[in-house]
Amino acid sequence: MKVVVIGGTGLIGSKLVGELREHGHEAVPAAPTTGVDTLTGEGLAGVLHGASVVVDVSNSPSFADDAVMEFFRTSTTNLLKAEDEAGVRHHVALSVVGTDRLQGSGYFRAKQVQEDLIKASGLPRTIVHATQFFEFAQGLADGVTEGDTVRLPAARIQPMASDDVAAAVGRAAVGAPVGGVVEIGGPEVFQLEDFIRRGLTARNDPRKIVTDPRARFWGAELREDTLLPGPDARLGETRFADWLARQR
């Protein structure tokens, strides 16, 4: 089976390409560095020729509100059109648990537009909603740091390893389209403050971490359960402590 992975040179994409190839599939990474640009449409027709499945794990190079909206709107529109013309039978997209609950954030408004375009396309689809990745602990902290203090909202989080994300997306890619959303998450639930603290401590990062009821997550307000998947989520096996030990 030929599977084209949009964003196939990134964190999840490169792992996904390797996973699919290990299972005997023809996995083709597609990114600007491989001559495929979803923003302009360059290279799409060629790379999609003969593809059965397209997996979109790409992300915007800028998280500024206007730029991220332009990226997801334009790239998704171009990609879906090219897939329809190429006769692709399954579109898989990686998105985020809680996207519809995080519309105070420009990034998540753009992700919602991406999902809406996929749904309106009529293409057989599977949208994989993943929780935040273990690898994002430092980046999440950086986004809410004031001076030497990380200010976090009071919320719970169920993060997962990127290896488990790639494995779950791979299963979706080779399976039948579900016509909707599949949620995936990690095996453990943390308070957001505890998750970030563990991640920074492992890096010997001395920043102070506090819970602040006024703090935002990518500009959006959080309820305690906003970032958590539902009860039917498919859970990865990697525990955070084990992942941290491997990083050391």
Side-chain angles (χ1 to χ4, degrees):
M1 178 188 295
K2 180 178 178 180
V3 182
V4 175
V5 181
I6 307 297
T9 60
L11 173 64
I12 300 300
S14 58
K15 295 176 185 291
L16 176 58
V17 167
E19 176 118 359
L20 291 169
R21 288 175 175 173
E22 285 180 8
H23 287 84
H25 299 286
E26 180 188 356
V28 181
T33 55
T34 70
V36 179
D37 189 336
T38 54
L39 278 176
T40 65
E42 178 185 0
L44 275 177
V47 78
L48 295 184
H49 180 73
S52 299
V53 181
V54 169
V55 183
D56 186 2
V57 295
S58 63
N59 209 349
S60 174
S62 169
F63 285 3
D65 286 1
D66 290 344
V68 74
M69 180 63 78
E70 173 65 17
F71 175 84
F72 282 115
R73 189 190 303 278
T74 302
S75 63
T76 303
T77 297
N78 289 339
L79 182 56
L80 293 170
K81 181 176 183 293
E83 288 179 44
D84 185 49
E85 293 171 351
V88 172
R89 299 194 298 271
H90 188 187
H91 180 93
V92 180
L94 178 61
S95 194
V96 188
V97 163
T99 289
D100 60 340
R101 303 188 293 269
L102 291 162
Q103 293 300 291
S105 161
Y107 179 83
F108 288 102
R109 288 195 297 273
K111 289 297 289 182
Q112 187 64 58
V113 166
Q114 178 192 27
E115 293 188 25
D116 291 343
L117 287 168
I118 295 167
K119 294 170 186 175
S121 73
L123 288 171
R125 66 186 185 274
T126 302
I127 298 173
V128 180
H129 274 190
T131 57
Q132 301 294 317
F133 308 166
F134 293 159
E135 287 87 349
F136 290 172
Q138 182 174 1
L140 293 175
D142 292 346
V144 291
T145 295
E146 299 175 3
D148 62 353
T149 301
V150 181
R151 298 189 178 279
L152 297 166
R156 293 181 294 162
I157 192 169
Q158 195 167 336
M160 63 189 302
S162 61
D163 285 340
D164 290 346
V165 176
V169 175
R171 288 191 293 271
V174 301
V178 302
V181 173
V182 173
E183 287 194 322
I184 60 175
E188 305 165 284
V189 177
F190 301 93
Q191 288 295 322
L192 182 56
E193 179 180 333
D194 185 38
F195 168 61
I196 299 299
R197 178 176 289 107
R198 292 189 189 193
L200 295 187
T201 297
R203 293 173 173 266
N204 297 314
D205 190 315
R207 280 178 285 180
K208 178 182 178 181
I209 300 172
V210 300
T211 295
D212 182 344
R214 298 169 298 174
R216 299 290 184 266
F217 182 86
W218 295 108
E221 294 185 22
L222 294 187
R223 299 192 307 269
E224 185 179 5
D225 62 352
T226 298
L227 303 178
L228 298 182
D232 296 327
R234 303 171 186 179
L235 304 184
E237 297 180 354
T238 307
R239 299 173 68 86
F240 191 34
D242 296 334
W243 182 85
L244 287 173
R246 290 201 296 268
Q247 307 316 299
R248 291 193 288 269

PDB file of all heavy atoms in Angstrom, residues 95-109:
ATOM      1  N   SER A  95      -4.723  15.622  14.674  1.00  0.00           N
ATOM      2  CA  SER A  95      -5.173  16.850  15.317  1.00  0.00           C
ATOM      3  C   SER A  95      -5.022  16.683  16.831  1.00  0.00           C
ATOM      4  O   SER A  95      -4.234  15.842  17.279  1.00  0.00           O
ATOM      5  CB  SER A  95      -6.614  17.184  14.904  1.00  0.00           C
ATOM      6  OG  SER A  95      -6.944  18.522  15.257  1.00  0.00           O
ATOM      7  N   VAL A  96      -5.734  17.472  17.594  1.00  0.00           N
ATOM      8  CA  VAL A  96      -5.450  17.589  19.024  1.00  0.00           C
ATOM      9  C   VAL A  96      -6.714  17.367  19.849  1.00  0.00           C
ATOM     10  O   VAL A  96      -7.772  17.934  19.542  1.00  0.00           O
ATOM     11  CB  VAL A  96      -4.867  18.977  19.358  1.00  0.00           C
ATOM     12  CG1 VAL A  96      -4.385  19.024  20.802  1.00  0.00           C
ATOM     13  CG2 VAL A  96      -3.727  19.335  18.408  1.00  0.00           C
ATOM     14  N   VAL A  97      -6.591  16.572  20.892  1.00  0.00           N
ATOM     15  CA  VAL A  97      -7.688  16.405  21.843  1.00  0.00           C
ATOM     16  C   VAL A  97      -8.076  17.774  22.406  1.00  0.00           C
ATOM     17  O   VAL A  97      -7.214  18.562  22.819  1.00  0.00           O
ATOM     18  CB  VAL A  97      -7.273  15.464  22.991  1.00  0.00           C
ATOM     19  CG1 VAL A  97      -8.220  15.605  24.180  1.00  0.00           C
ATOM     20  CG2 VAL A  97      -7.252  14.014  22.519  1.00  0.00           C
ATOM     21  N   GLY A  98      -9.356  18.059  22.409  1.00  0.00           N
ATOM     22  CA  GLY A  98      -9.848  19.312  22.978  1.00  0.00           C
ATOM     23  C   GLY A  98      -9.878  20.471  22.001  1.00  0.00           C
ATOM     24  O   GLY A  98     -10.188  21.603  22.409  1.00  0.00           O
ATOM     25  N   THR A  99      -9.603  20.217  20.716  1.00  0.00           N
ATOM     26  CA  THR A  99      -9.576  21.311  19.733  1.00  0.00           C
ATOM     27  C   THR A  99     -10.855  22.134  19.776  1.00  0.00           C
ATOM     28  O   THR A  99     -10.816  23.377  19.790  1.00  0.00           O
ATOM     29  CB  THR A  99      -9.355  20.757  18.315  1.00  0.00           C
ATOM     30  OG1 THR A  99      -8.003  20.279  18.211  1.00  0.00           O
ATOM     31  CG2 THR A  99      -9.577  21.826  17.257  1.00  0.00           C
ATOM     32  N   ASP A 100     -11.996  21.484  19.817  1.00  0.00           N
ATOM     33  CA  ASP A 100     -13.270  22.218  19.796  1.00  0.00           C
ATOM     34  C   ASP A 100     -13.536  22.957  21.104  1.00  0.00           C
ATOM     35  O   ASP A 100     -14.396  23.838  21.162  1.00  0.00           O
ATOM     36  CB  ASP A 100     -14.431  21.273  19.489  1.00  0.00           C
ATOM     37  CG  ASP A 100     -14.578  20.154  20.506  1.00  0.00           C
ATOM     38  OD1 ASP A 100     -13.602  19.850  21.228  1.00  0.00           O
ATOM     39  OD2 ASP A 100     -15.673  19.567  20.583  1.00  0.00           O
ATOM     40  N   ARG A 101     -12.768  22.635  22.166  1.00  0.00           N
ATOM     41  CA  ARG A 101     -12.940  23.293  23.460  1.00  0.00           C
ATOM     42  C   ARG A 101     -11.900  24.387  23.691  1.00  0.00           C
ATOM     43  O   ARG A 101     -11.886  25.011  24.759  1.00  0.00           O
ATOM     44  CB  ARG A 101     -12.841  22.245  24.586  1.00  0.00           C
ATOM     45  CG  ARG A 101     -13.837  21.111  24.466  1.00  0.00           C
ATOM     46  CD  ARG A 101     -13.832  20.212  25.688  1.00  0.00           C
ATOM     47  NE  ARG A 101     -12.620  19.461  25.875  1.00  0.00           N
ATOM     48  CZ  ARG A 101     -12.398  18.230  25.398  1.00  0.00           C
ATOM     49  NH1 ARG A 101     -13.336  17.636  24.644  1.00  0.00           N
ATOM     50  NH2 ARG A 101     -11.264  17.591  25.626  1.00  0.00           N
ATOM     51  N   LEU A 102     -11.022  24.588  22.710  1.00  0.00           N
ATOM     52  CA  LEU A 102      -9.911  25.525  22.864  1.00  0.00           C
ATOM     53  C   LEU A 102      -9.979  26.646  21.834  1.00  0.00           C
ATOM     54  O   LEU A 102      -8.959  27.154  21.372  1.00  0.00           O
ATOM     55  CB  LEU A 102      -8.577  24.774  22.725  1.00  0.00           C
ATOM     56  CG  LEU A 102      -8.243  23.809  23.867  1.00  0.00           C
ATOM     57  CD1 LEU A 102      -7.169  22.820  23.440  1.00  0.00           C
ATOM     58  CD2 LEU A 102      -7.780  24.580  25.103  1.00  0.00           C
ATOM     59  N   GLN A 103     -11.187  27.057  21.496  1.00  0.00           N
ATOM     60  CA  GLN A 103     -11.359  28.022  20.417  1.00  0.00           C
ATOM     61  C   GLN A 103     -10.991  29.454  20.807  1.00  0.00           C
ATOM     62  O   GLN A 103     -11.045  30.363  19.969  1.00  0.00           O
ATOM     63  CB  GLN A 103     -12.784  27.948  19.884  1.00  0.00           C
ATOM     64  CG  GLN A 103     -13.090  26.625  19.168  1.00  0.00           C
ATOM     65  CD  GLN A 103     -12.189  26.404  17.973  1.00  0.00           C
ATOM     66  OE1 GLN A 103     -12.301  27.115  16.982  1.00  0.00           O
ATOM     67  NE2 GLN A 103     -11.287  25.441  18.055  1.00  0.00           N
ATOM     68  N   GLY A 104     -10.584  29.677  22.044  1.00  0.00           N
ATOM     69  CA  GLY A 104     -10.024  30.961  22.421  1.00  0.00           C
ATOM     70  C   GLY A 104      -8.605  31.143  21.908  1.00  0.00           C
ATOM     71  O   GLY A 104      -8.035  32.225  21.993  1.00  0.00           O
ATOM     72  N   SER A 105      -8.031  30.077  21.355  1.00  0.00           N
ATOM     73  CA  SER A 105      -6.671  30.092  20.829  1.00  0.00           C
ATOM     74  C   SER A 105      -6.692  30.164  19.309  1.00  0.00           C
ATOM     75  O   SER A 105      -7.399  29.397  18.651  1.00  0.00           O
ATOM     76  CB  SER A 105      -5.943  28.814  21.270  1.00  0.00           C
ATOM     77  OG  SER A 105      -4.811  28.563  20.464  1.00  0.00           O
ATOM     78  N   GLY A 106      -5.892  31.055  18.742  1.00  0.00           N
ATOM     79  CA  GLY A 106      -5.813  31.145  17.288  1.00  0.00           C
ATOM     80  C   GLY A 106      -5.319  29.859  16.657  1.00  0.00           C
ATOM     81  O   GLY A 106      -5.786  29.473  15.573  1.00  0.00           O
ATOM     82  N   TYR A 107      -4.401  29.176  17.313  1.00  0.00           N
ATOM     83  CA  TYR A 107      -3.897  27.911  16.770  1.00  0.00           C
ATOM     84  C   TYR A 107      -5.012  26.880  16.672  1.00  0.00           C
ATOM     85  O   TYR A 107      -5.176  26.212  15.638  1.00  0.00           O
ATOM     86  CB  TYR A 107      -2.763  27.376  17.646  1.00  0.00           C
ATOM     87  CG  TYR A 107      -2.219  26.051  17.140  1.00  0.00           C
ATOM     88  CD1 TYR A 107      -1.274  26.023  16.126  1.00  0.00           C
ATOM     89  CD2 TYR A 107      -2.665  24.847  17.666  1.00  0.00           C
ATOM     90  CE1 TYR A 107      -0.795  24.814  15.637  1.00  0.00           C
ATOM     91  CE2 TYR A 107      -2.189  23.637  17.195  1.00  0.00           C
ATOM     92  CZ  TYR A 107      -1.246  23.628  16.179  1.00  0.00           C
ATOM     93  OH  TYR A 107      -0.780  22.428  15.703  1.00  0.00           O
ATOM     94  N   PHE A 108      -5.801  26.763  17.722  1.00  0.00           N
ATOM     95  CA  PHE A 108      -6.842  25.739  17.711  1.00  0.00           C
ATOM     96  C   PHE A 108      -8.028  26.135  16.843  1.00  0.00           C
ATOM     97  O   PHE A 108      -8.734  25.266  16.326  1.00  0.00           O
ATOM     98  CB  PHE A 108      -7.255  25.394  19.143  1.00  0.00           C
ATOM     99  CG  PHE A 108      -6.200  24.615  19.869  1.00  0.00           C
ATOM    100  CD1 PHE A 108      -5.366  25.246  20.790  1.00  0.00           C
ATOM    101  CD2 PHE A 108      -6.000  23.285  19.599  1.00  0.00           C
ATOM    102  CE1 PHE A 108      -4.363  24.541  21.424  1.00  0.00           C
ATOM    103  CE2 PHE A 108      -4.999  22.559  20.233  1.00  0.00           C
ATOM    104  CZ  PHE A 108      -4.177  23.193  21.149  1.00  0.00           C
ATOM    105  N   ARG A 109      -8.251  27.428  16.648  1.00  0.00           N
ATOM    106  CA  ARG A 109      -9.256  27.840  15.657  1.00  0.00           C
ATOM    107  C   ARG A 109      -8.835  27.381  14.261  1.00  0.00           C
ATOM    108  O   ARG A 109      -9.665  26.927  13.464  1.00  0.00           O
ATOM    109  CB  ARG A 109      -9.451  29.355  15.688  1.00  0.00           C
ATOM    110  CG  ARG A 109     -10.188  29.862  16.912  1.00  0.00           C
ATOM    111  CD  ARG A 109     -10.680  31.295  16.740  1.00  0.00           C
ATOM    112  NE  ARG A 109      -9.592  32.249  16.572  1.00  0.00           N
ATOM    113  CZ  ARG A 109      -8.956  32.849  17.579  1.00  0.00           C
ATOM    114  NH1 ARG A 109      -9.287  32.584  18.843  1.00  0.00           N
ATOM    115  NH2 ARG A 109      -7.991  33.724  17.340  1.00  0.00           N
TER     116      ARG A 109
END
